[in-house]
Amino acid sequence: MIVGILKEIKHQENRVAMTPAGAEILCASGHRVLVEKGAGIASGFEDQAYAEAGADLIENPADIYAAAEMIMHVKEPQPSEYDLIREDQIVFTYFHFAAYEELTNAFIKTRGIALAYETIEDTYGRLPLLTPMSEVAGRMAVQEAARYLERSHGGRGILLGGVTGVSPATVLILGGGIVGTNAALMACGLGAKVDLLDTSLDRLRYLSSIMPKNCTPLMGSPAMIREKICEADAVICAILVPGAKAPKLITREMLGSMKPGSIIVDVAIDQGGCAETSRPTTHEDPVYEVDGILHYCVANMPGAVPMTSTMALTNATLPYVLAIANSGLLEAVREYPEMQKGLNIVRGHVTCKGVAEAFDLDYTPVEKSFYE
């Protein structure tokens, strides 16, 4: 199979879809890897490293789209790429369709095959290709919260962990999944007082058994959010509904009960965000203020640490890429059944219920889409 690795063109996205080490494994398995020149430089991987791994360096991304059977990205294709995607071409990336109606409609028209990292889900409900970036984002969320609580960055002027004789900051985390768990561990490690909300009793029991004593797992509800948000110095939104829009758990009205200079870090912004007042921001201009509350809503948080993120992403995606390249998509889905949920749009058919419901589109089961 010919696999294309493209340079990311979304604003301030520094990751690349595959490391030279991953490209070497693909080439050694008999596949051809086309890498756009400069694709890995922002992540610390030079063109020469890809060449030494056996990949072909290509100047023009259009040439990669024209030749490759599978395209690998980190973020969703940008408008300049829509017309380059071919019918039956596999595009393997983070799509987050439910947050982008224009992208959804554009991809339907390409009749390509959208395999979304974020909706591949195993039999235990785990999201193996979202997990590494969720780990990064969860840990980064606490770093950013700590930074923007500093007065010099517009915050309350409070140290997350406090000092002897002075109370630490209080961090409220909505969601006890991968993002929330990593955020809680990071915040606890810095000495903060952490309230971690989730709606699953089984998950709360597990969190109670692994979390440090300065973390309190609590049953989430609108009433609990209203009670705890007024105590919080930092709120981290870590809710994910795979393939669908994030629920709006923080209303504009709730901001009035929060401490002036506190911060909301909305990690769910890729899926529309958990706060009514959230809107996407960039690493260049990451925060804005609403009613005295700072909002950090960077849609590609792991892009700030691209070397770590790219290595973690390649570790997770490579088995699936190899399966597709070695056996073809249909056989790979049989080998890895979890990939079926990753198929969001196939040959013009929306095959992910969450995406169909987000925009009131017709839903087609994956099996049917391959034979129409």
Side-chain angles (χ1 to χ4, degrees):
M1 180 174 277
I2 302 174
V3 179
I5 310 296
L6 291 166
K7 183 177 181 179
E8 298 300 312
I9 57 175
K10 189 166 185 176
H11 185 57
Q12 291 191 319
E13 179 51 68
N14 298 306
R15 291 171 287 182
V16 64
M18 186 170 290
T19 63
E24 181 180 358
I25 291 171
L26 272 176
C27 292
S29 299
H31 307 291
R32 188 179 177 205
V33 180
L34 309 179
V35 177
E36 184 178 349
K37 286 185 178 179
I41 289 175
S43 295
F45 305 113
E46 300 293 332
D47 287 345
Q48 185 62 28
Y50 287 101
E52 291 173 356
D56 296 325
L57 295 170
I58 307 296
E59 188 78 43
N60 189 344
D63 293 338
I64 297 178
Y65 271 105
E69 298 158 84
M70 177 163 61
I71 293 290
M72 294 195 66
H73 248 317
V74 177
K75 297 301 290 182
E76 70 281 356
Q78 299 301 293
S80 62
E81 299 174 272
Y82 295 165
D83 290 339
L84 300 176
I85 300 169
R86 308 193 321 269
E87 184 171 349
D88 283 339
Q89 188 172 51
I90 302 166
V91 182
F92 197 13
T93 188
Y94 290 113
F95 277 104
H96 297 288
F97 279 120
Y100 302 107
E101 186 171 11
E102 179 189 348
L103 170 67
T104 302
N105 291 328
F107 201 95
I108 289 170
K109 291 177 183 177
T110 70
R111 292 190 59 83
I113 298 172
L115 185 57
Y117 294 154
E118 73 275 7
T119 59
I120 290 178
E121 182 178 342
D122 66 18
T123 54
Y124 300 99
R126 296 175 301 200
L127 304 167
L129 301 193
L130 194 60
T131 295
M133 296 305 98
S134 295
E135 291 173 337
V136 172
R139 296 178 188 208
M140 279 193 67
V142 176
Q143 288 185 185
E144 299 304 329
R147 177 187 306 176
Y148 286 100
L149 282 174
E150 296 174 13
R151 190 64 181 168
S152 58
H153 288 94
R156 299 192 64 229
I158 184 170
L159 184 64
L160 203 68
V163 292
T164 303
V166 179
S167 296
T170 297
V171 178
L172 173 63
I173 300 172
L174 306 181
I178 301 298
V179 172
T181 300
N182 278 270
L185 288 170
M186 193 79 166
C188 288
L190 290 172
K193 177 183 179 293
V194 178
D195 291 319
L196 177 55
L197 274 57
D198 200 271
T199 57
S200 166
L201 274 175
D202 286 341
R203 185 66 181 175
L204 290 171
R205 288 189 183 99
Y206 169 73
L207 292 169
S208 295
S209 70
I210 67 163
M211 282 296 164
K213 295 301 182 184
N214 51 330
C215 176
T216 305
L218 297 166
M219 176 57 71
S221 67
M224 183 60 73
I225 294 172
R226 289 194 299 271
E227 177 184 335
K228 292 297 180 180
I229 203 166
C230 60
E231 303 171 5
D233 300 292
V235 179
I236 296 173
C237 301
I239 301 293
L240 174 71
V241 181
K245 287 185 177 180
K248 299 295 184 184
L249 300 180
I250 300 175
T251 64
R252 176 72 179 263
E253 185 180 5
M254 289 180 186
L255 267 58
S257 67
M258 295 178 68
K259 301 173 185 176
S262 56
I263 183 166
I264 295 172
V265 180
D266 200 338
V267 184
I269 194 65
D270 261 340
Q271 297 291 92
C274 286
E276 288 182 349
T277 46
S278 289
R279 56 175 172 79
T281 61
T282 66
H283 291 292
E284 188 176 57
D285 188 17
V287 296
Y288 60 92
E289 184 180 313
V290 178
D291 296 344
I293 308 302
L294 291 175
H295 291 60
Y296 179 99
C297 303
V298 175
N300 62 328
M301 291 176 65
V305 286
M307 183 176 288
T308 296
S309 298
T310 294
M311 294 171 71
L313 183 60
T314 300
N315 291 343
T317 60
L318 191 57
Y320 299 99
V321 176
L322 274 171
I324 295 168
N326 289 339
S327 307
L329 182 59
L330 285 175
E331 189 58 39
V333 170
R334 293 189 186 100
E335 183 180 352
Y336 292 96
E338 61 265 33
M339 272 205 286
Q340 182 165 317
K341 287 191 175 181
L343 291 164
N344 282 200
I345 298 174
V346 177
R347 296 173 179 162
H349 301 278
V350 178
T351 54
C352 174
K353 284 186 178 179
V355 175
E357 291 169 358
F359 305 119
D360 196 24
L361 297 169
D362 291 335
Y363 165 73
T364 303
V366 169
E367 301 87 350
K368 187 177 180 183
S369 69
F370 272 108
Y371 299 105
E372 287 195 356

